[in-house]
Amino acid sequence: MQELRDQLAPRGKLLTASVSGVIDDIGNSYEILELSRIVDFFNVMTFEVDLGNPPEFPNAEAAMQEFVTAGAPAIQLNMGIATYGIGGESGPIVQIPDVWAKYEVCQVHPTGVSIDSDATIIAKVAYIQTEGFGGAYVKSLDLDDFNDNSCNQGDYPVIQLIKDSL
């Protein structure tokens, strides 16, 4: 990573790392303090660790705090928020096993699919602000209701809710 940083820095380019939001993976996979001196941001993949527990997200909170405790400055951490749900076979359009796009959930209202509620998204944004984290990391813009065909909440309702919650 340092060699990559050395190549990017003179060009004024950023170096970010997407890292696991699973507690067991964090301590075993990363030298967080050393990496925090090399990368500009960590995109912490917390988007699937607590789906279905609205509006609480204790595993995501624990993951973010694990990075801080290990030496990463809070401002370097971006918390993951998903535009999709997990569970069931697959959505009727996306056809990825166990993945349901936001617009599919709005259309079909499947049982057994966990997706962040509006309350959870609002709570995550508040947590990001309270803890002084760098921001949100949104996975899969294409799985949000990008053209308001399904959710009747306007284009990109997840992105819009994040923005409106700031």
Side-chain angles (χ1 to χ4, degrees):
M1 292 291 284
Q2 184 63 55
E3 292 171 359
L4 183 54
R5 159 57 67 214
D6 293 343
Q7 290 294 313
L8 293 172
R11 299 177 179 139
K13 303 295 182 185
L14 297 176
L15 177 60
T16 63
S18 292
V19 292
S20 178
V22 177
I23 286 289
D24 290 342
D25 294 346
I26 295 168
N28 295 327
S29 301
Y30 312 113
E31 295 176 6
I32 296 168
L33 181 59
E34 290 78 13
L35 278 174
S36 72
R37 295 178 180 138
I38 298 169
V39 302
D40 294 291
F41 295 102
F42 291 99
N43 293 324
V44 186
M45 297 185 286
T46 55
F47 29 75
E48 292 178 16
V49 296
D50 287 303
L51 290 174
N53 296 319
E56 299 173 357
F57 43 95
N59 295 322
E61 288 179 8
M64 298 298 285
Q65 291 306 319
E66 181 71 19
F67 278 92
V68 172
T69 300
I75 196 69
Q76 278 187 310
L77 301 173
N78 297 320
M79 185 175 187
I81 299 176
T83 59
Y84 58 89
I86 300 294
E89 294 294 316
S90 66
I93 299 167
V94 174
Q95 295 293 309
I96 299 172
D98 299 325
V99 174
W100 286 74
K102 172 74 172 179
Y103 56 86
E104 291 176 315
V105 172
C106 290
Q107 286 175 352
V108 179
H109 306 287
T111 58
V113 173
S114 298
I115 189 166
D116 280 344
S117 67
D118 287 356
T120 300
I121 293 168
I122 292 166
K124 284 182 177 181
V125 172
Y127 178 71
I128 289 166
Q129 292 175 308
T130 300
E131 296 297 319
F133 294 131
Y137 162 51
V138 179
K139 183 173 179 187
S140 299
L141 292 176
D142 57 316
L143 298 181
D144 202 350
D145 188 14
F146 52 87
N147 58 9
D148 194 27
N149 279 342
S150 304
C151 297
N152 297 318
Q153 296 175 312
D155 296 347
Y156 295 100
V158 174
I159 301 300
Q160 193 66 37
L161 185 57
I162 293 168
K163 182 188 82 138
D164 291 347
S165 300
L166 293 172

